[in-house]
């Protein structure tokens, strides 16, 4: 028997990607996959890419999860805290939702509403000191998808004093899977294809998380819905403090990070290049007109932005190499 893992909320896109990664993980045994409306359905009936995975969705009940060594929570925001509180303390938990990311209760109330459930160890291993913190934790809050794409681009520059923490501007395009699997009129193929549209302009819930993780003090963030199923391309700009080479700062920060790749000069990130991988591709330049530092970041929102990141955190919590069972390279074309 390997390490017993379970997934709550396994019928969604992030849940399905978790099941795919767990099925190929050399140390994990999937013992339960739960859902709400899809309970009682075979996994492959909901996720046809998992044909051959002989498992039926169970109801999202603490008793169905309590025998696992580690539980992944892939639930809508606001639904993780109560379920996590009902699990034995001996069960390790990785939450893909937002319930436990923020340390500031006022920020939670402003962007999410409702009671603040308290902060867990933040699940971004590439931040200084976080690998050790995650490895020592029994409860880890994985990042938001936009947050990881932006934080990996920005945090080392602020930490090195290469850019000012104020006046950071981010424009990021995401594939439609980032909005979840629930049927919504604005996500219909006929509405999305051939179109780009901004949403939650000036009030996206990942803003306080990005500020918390990077040290930014003011942030203008515009998310854009793109006509593709998965991927995020974030363009992050900030005011330099001097003449430090931003690409070199990033290269030094991620020299030992297996999933973060600062591309050779002249090459720029593509979302397709990260599809199916747990990797982030970065490139940086200085705008010749404004002088602002520009960093472009690409991830798979279901990989490094969700399920892959969660498995990376779980590996660290369980004493495994963080790369275990995770693809570094994307799928093309």
């Amino acid at each position: 028997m390997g390490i017993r893992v379970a997934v709550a909320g396994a019928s969604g896109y992030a849940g399905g990607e978790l099941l795919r990664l767990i099925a190929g993980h050399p140390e994990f045994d999937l013992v339960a996959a739960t859902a709400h409306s899809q309970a009682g359905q075979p996994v492959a009936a909901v996720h046809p890419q998992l044909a051959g995975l002989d498992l039926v969705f169970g109801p999202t009940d603490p008793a169905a999860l309590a025998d696992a060594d580690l539980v992944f929570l892939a639930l809508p925001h606001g639904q993780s805290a109560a379920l996590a509180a009902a699990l034995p303390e001996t069960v390790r938990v990785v939450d893909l939702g937002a319930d436990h990311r923020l340390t500031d209760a006022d920020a939670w109330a402003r962007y999410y509403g409702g009671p603040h459930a308290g902060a867990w160890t933040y699940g971004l291993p590439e931040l200084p000191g976080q690998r050790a913190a995650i490895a020592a934790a029994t409860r880890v809050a994985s990042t938001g998808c936009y947050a990881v794409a932006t934080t990996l681009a920005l945090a080392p520059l602020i930490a090195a004093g290469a850019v000012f923490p104020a006046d950071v501007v981010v424009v990021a395009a995401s594939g439609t899977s980032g909005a979840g699997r629930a049927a919504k009129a604005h996500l219909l193929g006929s509405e999305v294809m051939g179109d780009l549209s901004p949403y939650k302009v000036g009030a996206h819930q990942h803003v306080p998380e990005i500020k918390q993780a990077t040290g930014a003090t003011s942030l203008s963030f515009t998310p854009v819905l793109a006509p593709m199923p998965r991927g995020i391309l974030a363009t992050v700009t900030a005011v330099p403090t001097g003449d430090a080479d931003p690409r070199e700062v990033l290269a030094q920060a991620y020299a030992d990070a297996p999933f973060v790749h600062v591309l050779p000069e002249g090459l720029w990130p593509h979302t397709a290049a990260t599809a199916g991988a747990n990797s982030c591709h970065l490139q940086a330049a200085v705008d010749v007109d404004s002088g602002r530092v520009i960093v472009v970041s690409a991830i798979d929102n279901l990989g490094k932005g969700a399920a892959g990141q969660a498995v990376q955190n779980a590996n660290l919590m369980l004493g495994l190499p963080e790369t275990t069972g995770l693809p570094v390279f994307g799928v093309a074309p």
Side-chain angles (χ1 to χ4, degrees):
M1 289 290 291
I3 298 167
R4 295 165 58 85
V5 300
V7 180
S11 60
Y13 289 131
E17 188 73 350
L18 270 172
L19 296 180
R20 183 181 74 87
L21 293 174
I22 292 167
H25 196 288
E27 303 293 337
F28 288 174
D29 282 339
L30 180 64
V31 297
T34 76
H36 288 290
S37 61
Q38 301 289 354
Q41 293 292 315
V43 166
V46 178
H47 299 299
Q49 74 275 22
L50 300 178
L53 185 60
D54 187 17
L55 194 67
V56 173
F57 288 118
T60 303
D61 186 316
L65 306 167
D67 289 336
D69 299 309
L70 183 141
V71 173
F72 295 100
L73 302 180
L75 301 170
H77 300 317
Q79 295 186 18
S80 296
L83 181 58
L87 294 174
E89 293 184 3
T90 54
V91 177
R92 292 177 172 86
V93 181
V94 179
D95 185 9
L96 281 72
D99 293 33
H100 300 282
R101 292 174 189 158
L102 299 182
T103 58
D104 186 343
D106 290 338
W108 173 268
R110 182 181 182 186
Y111 283 89
Y112 292 95
H116 183 233
W120 289 355
T121 299
Y122 189 60
L124 184 52
E126 289 80 11
L127 289 176
Q130 283 307 105
R131 280 187 178 85
I134 293 165
T138 59
R139 298 287 191 272
V140 168
S142 265
T143 61
C145 53
Y146 281 124
V148 66
T150 303
T151 298
L152 291 174
L154 179 62
L157 298 174
I158 292 178
V163 299
F164 289 103
D167 191 21
V168 176
V169 178
V170 181
V171 178
S174 174
T176 55
S177 60
R181 195 167 190 170
K184 300 172 184 175
H186 73 284
L187 297 177
L188 293 171
S190 56
E191 300 291 335
V192 172
M193 289 187 295
D195 188 37
L196 290 170
S197 57
Y199 64 100
K200 294 185 179 179
V201 177
H204 195 277
Q205 67 270 18
H206 286 177
V207 167
E209 180 185 349
I210 294 168
K211 292 173 69 176
Q212 175 182 293
T214 63
T217 57
S218 66
L219 175 70
S220 173
F221 178 59
T222 304
V224 177
L225 184 66
M228 57 187 184
R230 56 200 295 167
I232 287 178
L233 189 75
T235 302
V236 182
T237 76
V239 178
T241 60
D243 58 2
D245 181 349
R247 186 182 173 280
E248 183 59 29
V249 172
L250 294 172
Q252 290 181 9
Y254 298 125
D256 297 321
F259 293 116
V260 183
H261 309 287
V262 180
L263 300 181
E265 290 202 44
L267 297 180
W268 288 90
H270 296 251
T271 56
T274 64
N278 192 50
S279 292
C280 174
H281 292 182
L282 298 172
Q283 186 59 277
V286 177
D287 191 294
V288 296
D289 183 65
S290 69
R292 292 179 71 93
V293 169
I294 303 171
V295 183
V296 177
S297 169
I299 64 168
D300 183 339
N301 62 294
L302 295 179
K304 187 63 173 163
Q309 180 92 288
V311 171
Q312 185 181 353
N313 288 325
N315 285 337
L316 290 167
M317 296 167 74
L318 295 164
L320 302 172
E322 65 185 290
T323 56
T324 306
L326 288 170
V328 175
F329 304 118
V331 177

